[in-house]
Amino acid sequence: MDFNMKKLASDAGIFFTRAVQFTEEKFGQAEKTELDAHFENLLARADSTKNWTEKILRQTEVLLQPNPSARVEEFLYEKLDRKVPSRVTNGELLAQYMSEAANELGPETPYGKTLIKVGETEKRLGAAERDFIHSASINFLTPLRNFLEGDWRTISKERRILQNRRLDLDACKARLKKAKAAEAKAACEGDLWSDEVDKVNHLRCLQEFVESQATYYAQCYRHMLDLQKQLGSTQGVIFPGTFVGNTEPASSPLSSASLATAAATIPVMPTVAGMPSAGEAAISLDDVALPASGTRKARVLYDYEAADSSELALLADELITVYSLPGMDPDWLIGERGNRKGKVPVTYLELLS
């Protein structure tokens, strides 16, 4: 009991001495030992590294998980040392919706087939996003957290010890004038700080993060390129700009050059005397005879409502006869069904023979 009381009295005395020294330094009434300039620079670098590490860590977490509620939930799981539940990425959820929509609307329809293809690509994009999040968490976020929760705590502890030692040193200098021995001790503490600041290699972690992000975006690019090739490689089909709810033909995803090439596969018939150009607003094709050769059969992909009397209304899946005339817009052909003739858009047709 006596020993504890003595220790308590000794600790109280030390604390009081440090408080007096600190207060007198603030009021300019006591001499303060200045630390080595290089060491002061290390202190400033450590503070700056800690502050920016916290900001970068928080913003990276926002990038990887934009939902704040989900971030709070993951934080609680980590603090409770429990496994974070697996989450479906936005891309994977979109792929699921597209797959379900295709099954309900008809997987054999052009829209359903395209939904399935796009859904598969979105699923791969979601998987790539999951891999990127996992890689970034291990190679980038975890080292930053280790620095803040481990190394920075050690640095802070050593910093407090150094501050107390400096106060003790200055108090002793005021009484005993033994500055040289105390300054050597402070220099030794400075070497310890240098080791702690350099222990975590932030540059290497940042390089790992950039490599993970580059891999993720490269995967996304490859998946979208594959999808683009799939949609563009369908034999004999030129996809329209829209699929549902739009009776007006939108701009085609294929270039006009591609459409011109498709139209060029139909032989051009000789000019019909007295017949106006297909591009003119007023055109009458009822008196034009069907060419003896150069015609092709075509299957209608989607319903089309004629804009005027010069156009031929179309119904999905019906078969019509088509041909081209000199000077026609490559986006249009002449279609004939029974005794009815009119212009038809190329984008709504699948040329058969």
Side-chain angles (χ1 to χ4, degrees):
M1 188 66 178
D2 293 340
F3 173 79
N4 291 337
M5 288 298 297
K6 291 180 179 179
K7 184 177 185 302
L8 179 61
S10 176
D11 292 342
I14 294 174
F15 177 79
F16 178 75
T17 301
R18 291 172 179 170
V20 171
Q21 177 66 24
F22 181 80
T23 303
E24 291 179 349
E25 289 177 358
K26 290 299 181 182
F27 285 99
Q29 298 175 356
E31 180 182 355
K32 177 181 178 180
T33 300
E34 298 296 336
L35 299 177
D36 180 74
H38 175 65
F39 181 69
E40 291 283 6
N41 183 52
L42 287 177
L43 289 177
R45 284 177 52 195
D47 288 335
S48 180
T49 301
K50 181 256 185 182
N51 293 334
W52 284 111
T53 298
E54 289 179 334
K55 293 180 180 180
I56 293 173
L57 175 64
R58 287 195 296 267
Q59 192 58 37
T60 304
E61 291 175 338
V62 172
L63 172 67
L64 299 180
Q65 178 52 267
N67 189 334
S69 300
R71 291 200 303 273
V72 172
E73 182 180 353
E74 293 174 358
F75 175 78
L76 294 177
Y77 273 102
E78 291 178 359
K79 290 302 180 183
L80 296 176
D81 292 330
R82 297 178 60 183
K83 183 179 179 181
V84 179
S86 178
R87 297 183 183 277
V88 178
T89 63
N90 293 328
E92 292 171 330
L93 185 60
L94 177 59
Q96 178 182 341
Y97 290 163
M98 287 184 170
S99 177
E100 294 175 356
N103 292 331
E104 183 172 342
L105 298 177
E108 298 302 325
T109 64
Y111 183 46
K113 292 179 180 179
T114 305
L115 274 176
I116 292 175
K117 288 183 179 180
V118 177
E120 291 174 351
T121 299
E122 292 296 337
K123 184 177 181 180
R124 288 193 289 269
L125 291 175
E129 180 183 1
R130 183 188 299 277
D131 294 339
F132 166 60
I133 293 174
H134 179 71
S135 176
S137 298
I138 293 178
N139 299 324
F140 189 61
L141 294 184
T142 298
L144 295 187
R145 290 195 187 100
N146 290 340
F147 170 76
L148 294 174
E149 297 175 2
D151 296 332
W152 178 252
R153 290 183 179 179
T154 301
I155 291 173
S156 300
K157 179 182 178 181
E158 297 295 335
R159 191 176 197 171
R160 288 192 298 270
I161 293 174
L162 178 62
Q163 175 71 358
N164 292 334
R165 295 294 184 268
R166 189 195 61 75
L167 292 172
D168 293 341
L169 171 63
D170 287 340
C172 292
K173 285 172 63 177
R175 296 191 300 265
L176 304 174
K177 306 296 183 182
K178 294 183 179 180
K180 292 184 180 181
E183 289 175 353
K185 184 178 181 181
C188 293
E189 294 291 342
D191 293 337
L192 173 61
W193 263 86
S194 179
D195 293 339
E196 292 296 336
V197 170
D198 293 335
K199 181 178 292 185
V200 176
N201 190 343
H202 283 53
L203 178 59
R204 179 183 58 80
C205 298
L206 182 60
Q207 291 173 339
E208 293 282 353
F209 175 71
V210 171
E211 290 178 3
S212 299
Q213 200 167 26
T215 300
Y216 166 59
Y217 286 120
Q219 290 175 342
C220 293
Y221 173 76
R222 288 196 298 269
H223 293 328
M224 295 307 297
L225 192 61
D226 291 341
L227 175 62
Q228 189 180 39
K229 291 180 179 178
Q230 291 177 27
L231 297 181
S233 62
T234 305
Q235 296 296 328
V237 178
I238 303 177
F239 287 95
T242 58
F243 293 92
V244 178
N246 186 6
T247 58
E248 292 296 330
S251 58
S252 171
L254 299 181
S255 65
S256 58
S258 299
L259 296 176
T261 302
T265 60
I266 301 178
V268 178
M269 297 303 301
T271 305
V272 179
M275 178 176 177
S277 171
E280 296 177 359
I283 181 171
S284 176
L285 301 175
D286 292 337
D287 297 331
V288 179
L290 183 69
S293 62
T295 62
R296 295 183 64 175
K297 291 292 185 181
R299 184 175 68 88
V300 178
L301 297 175
Y302 308 97
D303 292 347
Y304 176 72
E305 182 178 353
D308 52 46
S309 59
S310 67
E311 297 180 3
L312 182 65
L314 303 175
L315 294 177
D317 295 326
E318 72 171 331
L319 295 177
I320 63 174
T321 302
V322 294
Y323 54 92
S324 177
L325 293 176
M328 286 190 61
D329 187 330
D331 293 345
W332 295 83
L333 294 173
I334 302 299
E336 183 168 345
R337 180 181 62 243
N339 296 326
R340 184 72 176 94
K341 304 183 184 70
K343 296 188 301 180
V344 292
V346 175
T347 55
Y348 280 68
L349 303 175
E350 177 185 1
L351 302 178
L352 301 177
S353 62

